[in-house]
């Protein structure tokens, strides 16, 4: 397999993943971003923790999540637990975030 074939395969996989994301995002209430993964979920519990020597880390528990990872054969996961020393971003998805922008550039119709 040439490097061009590999790049084409990865581009096709990423496009397929984006299409799947677009199809499922409306089913979820939260977006969770960690250093390594991007998740959609309806239940997220983020708990700051500290080690014995005072270092801060985060424990994130999610239920019924969808994982953005083109190398996973199954992206729906019943339970996820992430422990990380890096930043974690949790955002609530509002339905207006899911609406497509007008195709006319936002100009009002006449």
């Amino acid at each position: 397999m040439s490097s061009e074939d590999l790049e084409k395969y990865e581009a096709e996989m990423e496009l397929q993943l984006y299409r799947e994301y677009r199809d499922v995002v409306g089913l979820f209430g939260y977006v969770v971003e960690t250093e390594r993964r991007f998740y959609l979920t309806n239940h997220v519990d983020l708990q700051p923790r500290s080690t014995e020597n005072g270092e801060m880390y985060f424990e994130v528990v999610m239920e019924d999540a969808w994982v953005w990872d083109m190398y996973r054969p199954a992206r729906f996961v019943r339970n996820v637990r992430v422990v990380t020393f890096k930043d974690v971003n949790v955002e609530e998805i509002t339905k207006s975030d899911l609406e497509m922008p007008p195709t006319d550039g936002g100009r009002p119709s006449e």
Side-chain angles (χ1 to χ4, degrees):
M1 178 180 270
S2 72
S3 62
E4 186 177 303
D5 290 339
L6 182 58
E7 286 178 22
K8 183 179 177 185
Y9 172 77
E10 287 182 345
E12 288 173 5
M13 291 294 292
E14 197 160 340
L15 180 58
Q16 179 183 356
L17 183 61
Y18 170 75
R19 288 177 177 149
E20 183 178 327
Y21 163 82
R22 186 186 60 201
D23 291 343
V24 302
V25 69
L27 302 173
F28 297 97
Y30 297 93
V31 172
V32 179
E33 291 179 89
T34 68
E35 169 192 9
R36 298 187 60 201
R37 297 276 190 296
F38 176 91
Y39 302 89
L40 298 172
T41 187
N42 283 317
H43 174 79
V44 59
D45 181 30
L46 173 64
Q47 295 295 321
R49 308 271 191 219
S50 57
T51 63
E52 291 176 8
N53 62 357
E55 290 183 89
M56 179 73 97
Y57 68 95
F58 300 97
E59 181 177 11
V60 186
V61 176
M62 293 170 270
E63 295 175 8
D64 298 323
W66 181 89
V67 184
W68 179 287
D69 186 342
M70 68 183 181
Y71 299 107
R72 291 179 65 97
R75 284 181 274 281
F76 286 97
V77 183
R78 180 167 293 307
N79 295 298
V80 178
R81 180 175 175 256
V82 177
V83 177
T84 181
F85 284 92
K86 304 289 184 175
D87 290 341
V88 176
N89 184 37
V90 178
E91 293 182 33
E92 187 172 2
I93 300 171
T94 60
K95 297 305 172 193
S96 64
D97 291 342
L98 303 177
E99 294 173 4
M100 296 299 291
T103 56
D104 64 356
R107 287 179 246 125
S109 345
E110 295 179 11

